[in-house]
Amino acid sequence: MTYQTILFELSEGIARLTLNRPERLNSFNAAMHAEVQDALAALQRDTSARVLVITGAGRGFCAGQDLSDRLVAPGGAPPDLGPSIERGYKPLILALRRLPLPVIAAVNGVAAGAGANIALACDLVIAARSATFIQAFSKIGLVPDSGGTWILPRLLGPARALGLALLGEKLPAEQAAQWGLIWRCVEDGQLTAEVDTLARHLAAAPTRGLARTKQAMLEGWGRTLAEQLDVERDYQQELGHSADYAEGVAAFMEKRVPHFTGR
Ligand code: T3D
């Protein structure tokens, strides 16, 4: 597939996906949905990928749905948003959550509407100090989608989650980090370097273990402690047979740096 709305590359275990409609703050249209889904499906198949970095081109990360596709002419029929969610945002969020490798959101600027919640669906969110997160949905009569109503109360508690969702105010990156909504806020000029360092670190890490860690934590919210202990047992049983576990133990005992292959 030739991409018109994203940039996508995979090199040395690091996949980089850049939302690339800067003139519309990288908002999503149908083509971008199809292209992002295609890229994520390619990553599912490509075992050389060890980490994914998602960012935005230009001054924004993503402004959610492209609203120019939603303008209703006077007397025209309102759009059916259900199919758009079902075919676009829902599979996108689930694909990010299910990708068996760590996903970094490098939030270079404003992340609004679904754009904010796509960032929050990533495993590690690093934002530039000038970036903001906006649950813009309330400004146009919608509900936070792309997992917003699920993740915000879990990460922030109901008071802050409802404040953000009902008011649609800008949450600065630094406050998002202080509230525990994102991993880190860094100086604007440091974002690329910090993300590169983190991506290189993760690309050399034991990928299968990280994938199971992500899965256990994300799926654990719906389980009892006893059920979760069973899941941990099963994952340890599986990972105990991995090449990376053998390498990790050997490297520790030999007092050397491990060389993980992601297998
Ligand atoms: O429809 C469905 O399928 C249901 C799913 C919905 C999911 C959603 O995401 S709903 C929420 C949609 N997003 C928004 O409501 C955010 C709209 N954008 C904004 O509120 C502001 O643009 C920002 C706060 C994000 C940034 O403000 P600012 O002042 O930095 O930039 P700007 O001047 O508003 O935007 C720059 C350009 O991008 C501008 O175009 P222009 O005037 O230079 O030609 C603006 O129209 C365009 N743009 C920004 N966001 C969108 C957009 N164009 C289309 N759709 C957008 N979402």
Side-chain angles (χ1 to χ4, degrees), residues 6 17-19 25-29 32-34 36-37 40 52-56 61-66 84-85 87-99 102-126 132-137 144-152 155 181-182 214 218:
I6 65 170
L17 192 164
T18 304
L19 304 173
L25 291 181
N26 306 316
S27 54
F28 268 76
N29 59 11
M32 187 183 273
H33 272 300
V36 171
Q37 278 183 27
L40 295 183
L52 167 64
V53 178
I54 301 181
T55 194
F61 176 76
C62 174
Q65 173 63 38
D66 186 331
S84 157
I85 301 286
R87 289 195 290 263
Y89 296 102
K90 179 179 166 185
L92 166 56
I93 297 300
L94 292 178
L96 291 172
R97 289 304 215 185
R98 290 172 180 163
L99 214 52
V103 182
I104 301 170
V107 181
N108 51 304
V110 65
N117 295 333
I118 289 166
L120 297 179
C122 297
D123 305 315
L124 292 168
V125 187
I126 305 188
T132 53
F133 296 81
I134 311 176
Q135 296 295 321
F137 309 90
D145 64 18
S146 303
T149 59
W150 189 86
I151 199 161
L152 290 170
L155 294 182
L181 189 64
I182 66 171
K214 159 180 174 171
L218 295 175

Side-chain angles (χ1 to χ4, degrees), residues 76-235:
D80 285 327
L81 303 187
S84 157
I85 301 286
E86 190 62 34
R87 289 195 290 263
Y89 296 102
K90 179 179 166 185
L92 166 56
I93 297 300
L94 292 178
L96 291 172
R97 289 304 215 185
R98 290 172 180 163
L99 214 52
L101 39 82
V103 182
I104 301 170
V107 181
N108 51 304
V110 65
N117 295 333
I118 289 166
L120 297 179
C122 297
D123 305 315
L124 292 168
V125 187
I126 305 188
R129 188 172 296 279
S130 65
T132 53
F133 296 81
I134 311 176
Q135 296 295 321
F137 309 90
S138 60
K139 307 271 190 199
I140 56 170
L142 294 182
V143 59
D145 64 18
S146 303
T149 59
W150 189 86
I151 199 161
L152 290 170
R154 281 172 170 77
L155 294 182
L156 299 177
R160 286 172 171 166
L162 280 168
L164 291 178
L166 297 181
L167 300 176
E169 291 178 358
K170 286 183 183 176
L171 180 70
E174 190 171 9
Q175 184 141 40
Q178 283 165 0
W179 282 6
L181 189 64
I182 66 171
W183 172 237
R184 286 189 66 195
C185 163
V186 300
E187 297 305 325
D188 287 18
Q190 290 299 311
L191 182 67
T192 304
E194 294 268 355
V195 169
D196 281 353
T197 301
L198 186 63
R200 277 197 299 274
H201 170 83
L202 291 169
T207 310
R208 282 181 61 183
L210 299 188
R212 287 304 197 197
T213 301
K214 159 180 174 171
Q215 191 180 0
M217 288 211 185
L218 295 175
E219 294 175 358
W221 270 330
R223 298 193 189 105
T224 65
L225 173 61
E227 290 167 342
Q228 191 69 3
L229 289 167
D230 287 349
V231 169
E232 291 172 1
R233 174 203 60 212
D234 293 346
Y235 287 171

